Amino acid sequence: MKPLTEQDIRSSFVNCSKGEAKRLAVPRDLEERPWEDLDFLGWRDPGAPDRSYLVTEREGRLTGVALRYPSSQRGFLHRSMCSLCLTTHRGGGVSLMTARKAGTAGREGNSVGLYMCTDLACSLYVRGKKTPDTGMRIEESLTVEEQIARTTGNLAAFLDKLYV
């Protein structure tokens, strides 16, 4: 992924108003992000524990999505799998992230959801740059490049649902 600026990020959101995009918390460490290892930029809002944001390139344009997830955490022994990168986490490491649909459907209250890594570090898990709390990922026969393609394909399928 190419490095993004705060303005790139704020102008990319498809499922919130311009005012909401202007007020959302953008990461302060954009210069230090491992851009070459990211398929999308994802972060949690430190001021709103139930909100996260995701920005990626889609069809040649940046697409930003505001996400919400429940603040209640699952038990420590419970394990869940991210639908994007297929990383297994215990406890609250995976959350059902919901996004208001784009356009009229979103203004009418329609949304879509997907189970995702709560920290939105899917790109780093797939590449082995970050280890989940469980200490390992499930060993796969796919190459890292094939896993990256699967993750970006899963993300694209989720984003497509925002426009249906």
Side-chain angles (χ1 to χ4, degrees):
M1 181 171 201
K2 70 176 182 99
L4 301 178
T5 66
E6 182 176 340
Q7 183 56 40
D8 293 335
I9 292 168
R10 292 191 188 284
S11 63
S12 71
F13 283 87
V14 298
N15 69 337
C16 63
S17 70
K18 288 182 182 182
E20 289 170 320
K22 186 177 179 179
R23 291 186 301 273
L24 62 84
V26 174
R28 300 283 178 226
D29 63 347
L30 292 175
E31 302 82 31
E32 295 142 31
R33 295 284 172 136
W35 294 105
E36 62 281 351
D37 291 324
L38 298 180
D39 303 304
F40 62 89
L41 173 65
W43 72 99
R44 294 175 68 176
D45 188 332
D50 65 338
R51 292 187 192 165
S52 289
Y53 306 99
L54 183 148
V55 178
T56 190
E57 192 168 316
R58 180 178 182 272
E59 298 176 358
R61 296 182 59 213
L62 285 179
T63 301
V65 180
L67 302 163
R68 288 187 176 258
Y69 61 96
S71 57
S72 63
Q73 299 295 323
R74 294 187 173 146
F76 183 72
L77 297 176
H78 183 86
R79 291 182 185 265
S80 300
M81 182 181 284
C82 173
S83 297
L84 287 181
C85 66
L86 305 187
T87 299
T88 303
H89 296 271
R90 65 175 92 158
V94 172
S95 296
L96 176 61
M97 303 277 190
T98 58
R100 195 170 48 197
K101 285 189 160 200
T104 304
R107 288 188 293 277
E108 292 174 353
N110 296 319
S111 62
V112 294
L114 189 70
Y115 285 94
M116 296 184 203
C117 295
T118 304
D119 63 3
L120 296 172
C122 300
S123 301
L124 301 178
Y125 291 126
V126 168
R127 289 169 173 81
K129 306 279 182 172
K130 187 171 183 178
T131 306
D133 290 339
T134 57
M136 62 178 204
R137 288 189 75 230
I138 296 173
E139 191 171 329
E140 297 191 59
S141 60
L142 298 177
T143 66
V144 172
E145 291 76 25
E146 290 170 328
Q147 292 176 51
I148 292 167
R150 180 187 59 210
T151 300
T152 57
N154 290 342
L155 177 58
F158 174 69
L159 294 176
D160 287 346
K161 292 177 185 176
L162 292 175
Y163 296 95
V164 177

